[in-house]
Amino acid sequence: MDIKLFFLGLCALFCIFRPLSAQSTCKLKAKFNLGGYKDVEKKTVVVGGMFPVHKRVASNKGNTSSVPLSSGCVGFNFRTFRWAQTMLFAIKEINARQDLLPKTDLGYVIYDSCFTISKAVEGTLTYLTGQDEAVPNYRCGDGAPLAALVGAGGSDLSIATARILGLYHFPQVSYCSTCSALKSKFQFPTFLRTIPNDEHQSTAMAKMVLHFGWTWVGTIAADDDYGKYGIKDFKDQVEQAGVCISFSETLPKVHSPEAIHRIVQTVIDSTAKIIVVFSSDVDLSPLINELLRNNVTNRTWIASEAWITSALISQPPGSGPNFTVSSVLAGTLGFGVKRADIPGLQHHLLNLDPYADLLTEEFWETLFNCTLDYSKALRMAKQRATYVNGTLSRTVTGLPDGLCTGQESVAQLNNTYSDVSQLRITYSVYKAVYAVAHALHNLEHCEPGKGPFVGKTCADINNFEPWQLMYYVKNVRFKMPNTGEEIFFNDGDVEGFYDIINWQVNHNGEISYVTVGNYNGSAAPGDRMTIMNDSIVWNNDMLEPPRSVCSENCQPGTRKGIRQGEPVCCFDCIPCADGEISNTTDARECILCTGDFWSNAAHDACVPKLIEFLAFGEPLGITLIAISAFGALVTIAVGVLFIMHIGTPLVKANDTLLSFSLLFSLVVTFLCSIVFLGEPQHWSCMTSQVALALGFALCLSSIIGWLPIEIIFPIFFLIAYLTFLCRAIAAVAIACTVWLIILPPHPVKNTSGQNTKIILECDEGSVIFICCIFAYDILLALLAFIFAFIARKLEDYVSEAKCLTFGMLVFFIVWISFVPAYLSTRGKFMVAVQIFAILASSFGLLTCIFLPKCYILLIKPDRNKEELMKPRPKPKDGTSTGTSASLATTATEATIATTAIDD
């Protein structure tokens, strides 16, 4: 028994001294300097809150030679102070209600995160510990249980706090942390929010950019998770839709004039008129001030929900009604979360006790630019006072200047703190507090045996675990008082609903927030965004949306040519080549017109090619028909004239048969030219060239038969005569017949000659046949020319031979000139050139051969005598020449020096 008592006493001593030993080995490493509100005495449940009441922490010198101290906060923010007061108001309102937590009195612990991650972590650790000194992983004290944390402000702050709170399954309900990264339940299992996920906002911004046709935009993002994730989601969506980013800048978290100036210069240099900004108002404020100093106008700003209704941006400190602000920022479009009126909130905001706590005291002193500390006011007054005859002025001897009375009117200042016209994030705070309260209400009113936990048990409102409350928070569903909005969480998020807000200048020159549409992420894709375009007032009071493109749209008829090394939105508009079209705006390639189609003048449509042939009814066709008919009629008239004088010596002197065959052949050549006119048909193609070949063959054969070949070449007289007079026509006729049977000419559409036209012409069928036929005609022409040229020296035929020589010379000149002219022309003019050559050569032969004869018959009939048709006398030098067998051999008198033909 004594031994048992001994061991029992030994164990008791061990238990007593062990905490003392632990206390001697554990010590507090730091004490955090946190400001805020706290009311936990005699409370059932304590709700935590965290708000960035200050803009930043005070800078320290980084001195490591002394004990480091937790930094204080500077830059009081009236807007976020209103958020903190809204939480106090909501808790006060809930405690007064009988239908919500009627038996539970809520307390609160609210810390100032100073818009800094380190302060947010300090506040989280302190809140979890339950005392002013943070002890990680411990809950000290036996006070009321902690319910949830409402906060912690920006996305960066909530990410830091959510990682810590998630370790303990501690619920966190955020009111303005919108970063899409926070949706991950693997990383942040206990994070929820009453403000939409930024995925909705990024999509809404992208849809707005596409709605107005902006393809060239700049982006600016805060250097934190909120800005980086938000702008990344936006860029991914718009770039997939073909929008290009002109520039992408990042706002520094630490004040950097150099970085701000560089961003402003980028905005000025860029041609983008639309700038999308994902940033908090605190981070954006230095940039806006620099833009105002540089008077950067003619830009439209697309704002995220964090600054679209921030007076820090729309009404910079000390600006008041400032037309410079309106010229720079008027026309801004942005997305604001749901707005609501909160009855009683303004009364609460206007009736603060400036002496209640240090944070409210700082608010009062900052708002009214005075101090509530009499000794401090007196000290400051003494520093400003001047001595008169060694005596302090009456100002110092009475109440010191700069001393607050505590009775100043907050309402008269028209400050952003007391402005309840745009309660958006404030309303989100209100909803977050009510979400926690309804979750606690459901936990408190759990029916035993029907609970959600193991064994269908319930949690105790006076002693519950954070994970038990987490179950009720994520499954809460309730309606907000006054607004009736139903609140519930879908995997920690709420629906993505935004008002589209336009900054317009009112009659006082101040910026006013005008709702011009909305975005509902829960609606059908085609119905999510509604914008009243006519209600928007753009920058510089323009009623039409600004254009923001790197390159103007390429109109139909052109295609986009990418500029090397530049975004795809920067391009040149290159006109489509002939025969190619583009019938859409911003076409990437031109379409080739095929078949019988060609591009029109604008290159935006394929039109049927023009059908071209030398028509009968057009002026050129009429002219050629008239000339052809005239030539044929003249030739017929010559024939008639010869018939009328058929018995005269002149007509007799010329072989009558050959004369009429020559005239007939000329009529054929004149008339066959008409067959070349009109739309080519099978019959016309077959007739034209054959008639021409036969006509010239008959003509040239007649000329050869007309010449004195028996005198020039007596040995070959019979052969030549028979060949050229009898077989010439037969040979051509046979060749033409074979040609027409084997490979007849036929009409074709020539689409290669001219791009814009279809030339209707005759395909000759066989080049070999036509070359052979006309080569035979050329041979006849050469022989006729040679014989005529030689015969010009014969006295009996000198005048006749000269006319034939000159006629053949004209014939060759015409057809030699025809070749280059024919090859250099296209379309119907090739036909015209060919007809002209036919007519010219025919007129040449008709004129040179028959004009002298007609001259004698009509003008000089007295010379149409038989004696004048006889050959000339021999020359006196005794040289003799041969004569024709058909003429007399006796000489006439020496006084007749020439024949009638010479005239």
Side-chain angles (χ1 to χ4, degrees):
M1 185 68 181
D2 292 337
I3 294 175
K4 290 181 179 180
L5 292 174
F6 173 76
F7 280 107
L8 183 62
L10 187 63
C11 289
L13 289 173
F14 178 78
C15 292
I16 293 171
F17 283 102
R18 183 179 178 182
L20 295 175
S21 175
Q23 187 176 4
S24 64
T25 57
C26 299
K27 65 178 181 179
L28 191 66
K29 297 299 295 181
K31 185 174 182 179
F32 300 143
N33 181 16
L34 295 170
Y37 298 99
K38 187 174 184 179
D39 183 10
V40 298
E41 295 298 327
K42 299 180 181 180
K43 301 297 181 181
T44 309
V45 179
V46 175
V47 180
M50 197 171 296
F51 298 89
V53 178
H54 289 84
K55 299 176 183 177
R56 59 187 179 277
V57 296
S59 60
N60 55 53
K61 299 180 180 180
N63 187 7
T64 58
S65 60
S66 59
V67 178
L69 301 174
S70 179
S71 300
C73 300
V74 294
F76 199 89
N77 192 329
F78 295 110
R79 185 187 184 207
T80 53
F81 183 69
R82 189 208 316 139
W83 300 349
Q85 289 298 320
T86 301
M87 179 173 178
L88 296 177
F89 168 77
I91 291 177
K92 179 181 177 182
E93 186 178 68
I94 292 168
N95 286 336
R97 291 179 59 168
Q98 296 301 315
D99 60 335
L100 184 61
L101 294 174
K103 300 178 182 179
T104 300
D105 193 15
L106 295 179
Y108 53 82
V109 174
I110 298 175
Y111 292 118
D112 178 10
S113 66
C114 302
F115 203 64
T116 308
I117 294 178
S118 60
K119 282 294 179 183
V121 172
E122 290 178 8
T124 303
L125 294 175
T126 303
Y127 176 64
L128 290 174
T129 301
Q131 62 184 23
D132 292 341
E133 294 82 11
V135 182
N137 212 33
Y138 281 92
R139 167 68 176 165
C140 301
D142 55 358
L146 305 177
L149 178 67
V150 176
S155 295
D156 265 13
L157 311 184
S158 288
I159 288 174
T161 58
R163 293 191 186 280
I164 298 173
L165 295 174
L167 297 174
Y168 305 105
H169 307 286
F170 200 96
Q172 176 183 356
V173 183
S174 178
Y175 49 85
C176 73
S177 299
T178 60
C179 179
S180 58
L182 286 164
K183 73 176 182 179
S184 171
K185 295 306 160 189
F186 177 77
Q187 298 186 69
F188 312 102
T190 61
F191 178 84
L192 307 97
R193 49 190 163 191
T194 56
I195 192 169
N197 185 335
D198 269 342
E199 285 184 346
H200 295 294
Q201 183 170 208
S202 297
T203 301
M205 285 183 168
K207 285 186 175 293
M208 175 180 286
V209 167
L210 298 177
H211 172 79
F212 290 110
W214 298 323
T215 60
W216 188 236
V217 300
T219 62
I220 298 175
D223 191 15
D224 53 25
D225 290 321
Y226 169 70
K228 292 176 181 176
Y229 277 91
I231 212 68
K232 179 182 180 298
D233 289 345
F234 167 78
K235 288 166 66 175
D236 289 345
Q237 295 186 56
V238 296
E239 287 178 339
Q240 285 183 356
V243 178
C244 296
I245 306 301
S246 172
F247 62 87
S248 189
E249 293 289 344
T250 302
L251 293 169
K253 295 294 287 186
V254 179
H255 181 59
S256 172
E258 295 80 11
I260 294 297
H261 180 74
R262 177 181 54 79
I263 296 174
V264 170
Q265 194 60 45
T266 300
V267 172
I268 294 173
D269 295 340
S270 173
T271 57
K273 303 301 180 184
I274 308 299
I275 303 173
V276 179
V277 181
F278 249 102
S279 171
S280 67
D281 54 351
V282 174
D283 290 333
L284 182 61
S285 180
L287 176 64
I288 295 299
N289 292 332
E290 187 67 19
L291 290 169
L292 294 175
R293 279 192 289 271
N294 288 271
N295 195 28
V296 180
T297 59
N298 197 26
R299 302 292 189 279
T300 296
W301 301 83
I302 308 299
S304 61
E305 98 293 337
W307 66 274
I308 185 61
T309 56
S310 172
L312 186 63
I313 305 300
S314 62
Q315 298 175 7
S319 65
N322 192 322
F323 288 96
T324 303
V325 174
S326 64
S327 65
V328 173
L329 298 176
T332 294
L333 279 175
F335 296 87
V337 296
K338 281 186 177 179
R339 174 194 170 278
D341 294 324
I342 304 177
L345 176 61
Q346 188 173 39
H347 181 268
H348 171 82
L349 297 176
L350 298 179
N351 289 275
L352 295 184
D353 180 5
Y355 300 100
D357 54 80
L358 293 177
L359 197 58
T360 307
E361 181 178 333
E362 183 183 358
F363 158 74
W364 201 273
E365 292 179 347
T366 305
L367 181 63
F368 294 105
N369 193 25
C370 61
T371 179
L372 292 166
D373 187 344
Y374 179 84
S375 60
K376 181 180 178 181
L378 184 62
R379 185 170 58 255
M380 293 173 60
K382 286 182 178 180
Q383 293 175 356
R384 293 193 302 267
T386 56
Y387 285 88
V388 180
N389 297 328
T391 310
L392 286 174
S393 66
R394 285 184 295 177
T395 304
V396 179
T397 56
L399 290 176
D401 293 336
L403 179 65
C404 298
T405 65
Q407 302 300 317
E408 290 83 4
S409 174
V410 177
Q412 291 181 353
L413 291 183
N414 191 25
N415 183 270
T416 183
Y417 164 76
S418 58
D419 182 8
V420 294
S421 62
Q422 293 290 329
L423 298 181
R424 297 183 183 275
I425 297 182
T426 301
Y427 179 51
S428 185
V429 174
Y430 193 60
K431 290 188 288 187
V433 177
Y434 263 87
V436 175
H438 277 276
L440 289 169
H441 181 85
N442 295 338
L443 182 149
E444 182 180 21
H445 291 81
C446 174
E447 296 183 20
K450 296 182 180 180
F453 307 116
V454 178
K456 296 184 178 180
T457 57
C458 297
D460 183 6
I461 189 67
N462 295 304
N463 186 21
F464 60 86
E465 295 296 328
W467 60 269
Q468 292 176 315
L469 178 60
M470 182 63 199
Y471 170 82
Y472 288 100
V473 174
K474 72 177 184 179
N475 293 294
V476 73
R477 197 179 192 101
F478 64 97
K479 289 187 177 181
M480 290 298 296
N482 305 309
T483 65
E485 179 187 357
E486 187 175 25
I487 304 298
F488 61 92
F489 296 107
N490 182 9
D491 204 20
D493 285 333
V494 295
E495 65 175 357
F497 186 91
Y498 299 91
D499 287 330
I500 300 176
I501 299 171
N502 180 219
W503 285 16
Q504 300 180 10
V505 181
N506 59 24
H507 62 279
N508 294 324
E510 299 175 340
I511 296 292
S512 59
Y513 310 122
V514 179
T515 300
V516 294
N518 60 72
Y519 177 85
N520 186 358
S522 303
D527 301 327
R528 290 181 180 177
M529 179 173 286
T530 302
I531 301 180
M532 298 177 288
N533 292 348
D534 295 340
S535 301
I536 300 175
V537 177
W538 302 96
N539 192 274
N540 297 329
D541 294 330
M542 298 294 293
L543 297 179
E544 293 295 327
R547 287 187 58 77
S548 185
V549 294
C550 182
S551 300
E552 293 295 336
N553 292 336
C554 287
Q555 299 303 312
T558 62
R559 66 175 179 86
K560 293 167 66 173
I562 303 302
R563 296 176 185 170
Q564 210 60 19
E566 295 189 30
V568 294
C569 295
C570 301
F571 49 83
D572 296 316
C573 294
I574 303 173
C576 291
D578 289 340
E580 296 181 346
I581 66 158
S582 64
N583 52 13
T584 60
T585 302
D586 289 338
R588 294 187 178 276
E589 296 293 339
C590 294
I591 304 169
L592 180 65
C593 294
T594 58
D596 294 345
F597 292 87
W598 193 253
S599 58
N600 60 0
H603 291 273
D604 58 2
C606 287
V607 296
K609 292 182 178 180
L610 297 176
I611 304 297
E612 183 178 276
F613 58 89
L614 189 55
F616 293 105
E618 62 180 287
L620 181 58
I622 294 173
T623 302
L624 293 175
I625 291 174
I627 296 174
S628 300
F630 175 74
L633 291 175
V634 169
T635 306
I636 293 172
V638 172
V640 171
L641 182 63
F642 268 48
I643 293 173
M644 292 173 62
H645 297 82
I646 195 167
T648 62
L650 178 62
V651 176
K652 284 182 178 182
N654 294 275
D655 193 320
T656 305
L657 178 62
L658 292 177
S659 296
F660 283 109
S661 66
L662 179 58
L663 289 172
F664 174 74
S665 65
L666 289 176
V667 171
V668 171
T669 57
F670 275 121
L671 294 180
C672 77
S673 63
I674 300 178
V675 184
F676 286 88
L677 297 173
E679 182 178 351
Q681 304 292 333
H682 281 281
W683 69 267
S684 62
C685 290
M686 296 174 66
T687 304
S688 57
Q689 298 292 357
V690 171
L692 179 63
L694 290 174
F696 275 129
L698 178 60
C699 176
L700 295 171
S701 299
S702 299
I703 292 173
I704 293 174
W706 216 344
L707 292 170
I709 302 174
E710 74 283 4
I711 299 176
I712 305 170
F713 304 109
I715 300 174
F716 302 104
F717 167 75
L718 182 60
I719 298 175
Y721 190 79
L722 292 176
T723 300
F724 294 113
L725 289 182
C726 300
R727 297 184 181 181
I729 305 302
V732 174
I734 293 171
C736 289
T737 303
V738 174
W739 176 28
L740 295 177
I741 293 174
I742 298 177
L743 292 171
H746 57 277
V748 294
K749 293 180 179 180
N750 183 355
T751 58
S752 60
Q754 294 188 34
N755 293 328
T756 60
K757 298 176 182 179
I758 297 176
I759 301 172
L760 299 184
E761 59 186 16
C762 291
D763 185 348
E764 307 307 338
S766 173
V767 177
I768 296 176
F769 271 110
I770 194 170
C771 288
C772 290
I773 291 170
F774 283 99
Y776 191 73
D777 284 346
I778 294 172
L779 177 62
L780 293 177
L782 286 173
L783 290 175
F785 176 74
I786 292 171
F787 292 160
F789 183 77
I790 295 174
R792 82 189 194 285
K793 295 182 179 180
L794 298 178
E795 294 179 355
D796 294 353
Y797 295 89
V798 60
S799 299
E800 191 72 28
K802 285 181 179 180
C803 292
L804 291 174
T805 302
F806 188 71
M808 294 307 302
L809 188 61
V810 171
F811 183 88
F812 276 110
I813 291 173
V814 169
W815 285 103
I816 291 173
S817 302
F818 159 78
V819 174
Y822 185 81
L823 295 177
S824 63
T825 55
R826 293 290 182 271
K828 63 182 180 182
F829 296 104
M830 295 180 70
V831 178
V833 169
Q834 188 172 7
I835 294 174
F836 176 80
I838 296 171
L839 296 177
S841 58
S842 299
F843 272 113
L845 292 174
L846 178 65
T847 303
C848 293
I849 296 174
F850 291 99
L851 181 60
K853 298 176 177 62
C854 293
Y855 175 78
I856 297 295
L857 293 175
L858 295 175
I859 307 302
K860 299 289 186 179
D862 56 323
R863 296 189 182 181
N864 189 7
K865 296 178 181 180
E866 185 174 352
E867 59 272 15
L868 296 178
M869 299 298 109
K870 294 179 180 180
R872 297 174 181 176
K874 294 180 181 180
K876 291 183 178 182
D877 58 4
T879 304
S880 63
T881 59
T883 61
S884 175
S886 62
L887 296 177
T889 58
T890 59
T892 60
E893 293 182 357
T895 56
I896 303 174
T898 62
T899 67
I901 303 303
D902 290 325
D903 292 338

